[in-house]
Amino acid sequence: MILMKDIIREGHPTLRQRSEEVSFPLSEEDRKLAEDLLQYVINSQDDEMIEKYDLRPGVGIAAPQVNQAKRIFALHFDETSGENLSLIAINPKIVSHSVEKAYLTAGEGCLSVDRAIPGYVPRHARITIKAFNLEGEEYKMRLKGLPAIAFQHELDHLNGVMFFDHINPKNPFAEIENAMPIGRDSDE
Ligand code: SB7
Ligand code: NI
């Protein structure tokens, strides 16, 4: 089970590396890693588990955040978020995206960043993605809204990119051209 002590923080070199492609059939180790990542995001949205294990809520987590430079991440949105999406993405890619952008009005946070970094993080508003599941089957899906933003946040982790790299350093809240603002009630 992944706990906060297993999550590496800003400054750790793994967070700045390009993670390696994963090969199929999945090794036992890689399968367990993928399942553990998904379990973390599920647990981190469960009040009892948060309390018991002192978890920080997150809608996603990527393998490099637990110091495994592999192209795997998990996302989970429960019904309360208005979405219903749970996925493991292995060797994920964005195959196409909208011209329109989107950003969270509250900015983004990261389990690997222990401070609030204010500012808008421009993302593609809509993306079409391809990824592999645990069985090595490729799937394709369209995402918009928070899931699209979270997918891009996690994919960035696999490429050594942090959310704050995208914030305008001169004016963190500068208007983003052709972008849809997205409000969110929690700070997951
Ligand atoms: C805000 C937060 C996340 C994604 C998009 C917007 C996820 C935060 C948890 N993570 O650090 C996952 O990498
Ligand atoms: Ni993150």
Side-chain angles (χ1 to χ4, degrees):
M1 173 178 186
I2 295 170
L3 298 172
M4 289 312 295
K5 66 166 173 55
D6 303 310
I7 297 177
I8 60 170
R9 309 302 158 91
E10 228 183 324
H12 194 296
T14 301
L15 291 172
R16 287 310 195 173
Q17 245 178 275
R18 184 180 194 277
S19 292
E20 293 286 327
E21 305 279 328
V22 174
S23 56
F24 292 99
L26 234 46
S27 65
E28 269 313 305
E29 192 196 349
D30 289 348
R31 170 180 292 267
K32 177 157 191 310
L33 172 61
E35 286 171 343
D36 284 351
L37 293 172
L38 182 59
Q39 197 59 55
Y40 178 86
V41 279
I42 293 171
N43 291 345
S44 84
Q45 295 175 53
D46 175 324
D47 290 334
E48 273 176 38
M49 296 301 275
I50 292 172
E51 167 93 14
K52 188 165 178 197
Y53 295 106
D54 204 16
L55 305 178
R56 198 178 134 191
V59 292
I61 188 172
Q65 295 184 275
V66 291
N67 203 16
Q68 299 277 329
K70 295 175 176 177
R71 303 189 76 78
I72 307 174
F73 65 71
L75 290 179
H76 179 75
F77 297 88
D78 66 14
E79 319 75 57
T80 57
S81 70
E83 312 284 345
N84 211 334
L85 179 70
S86 207
L87 63 82
I88 286 172
I90 302 175
N91 300 340
K93 57 187 185 209
I94 293 173
V95 295
S96 67
H97 63 78
S98 60
V99 173
E100 190 184 13
K101 293 183 175 164
Y103 61 93
L104 297 179
T105 53
E108 296 188 15
C110 182
L111 294 168
S112 297
V113 179
D114 290 325
R115 58 196 174 113
I117 303 181
Y120 298 149
V121 180
R123 302 289 189 184
H124 307 302
R126 294 172 299 282
I127 55 178
T128 300
I129 67 94
K130 274 186 180 174
F132 292 85
N133 65 17
L134 290 175
E135 271 58 62
E137 298 153 349
E138 194 173 29
Y139 63 91
K140 186 175 178 176
M141 142 188 311
R142 285 190 186 82
L143 298 173
K144 60 180 165 61
L146 185 56
I149 288 177
F151 192 98
Q152 291 167 80
H153 178 116
E154 303 313 329
L155 186 58
D156 270 353
H157 276 306
L158 308 189
N159 294 324
V161 175
M162 300 293 285
F163 74 93
F164 50 79
D165 299 343
H166 300 292
I167 298 175
N168 182 328
K170 286 209 191 86
N171 178 5
F173 295 104
E175 193 198 330
I176 297 161
E177 287 295 311
N178 196 14
M180 157 134 56
I182 299 176
R184 222 163 39 120
D185 32 54
S186 72
D187 65 348
E188 291 155 25

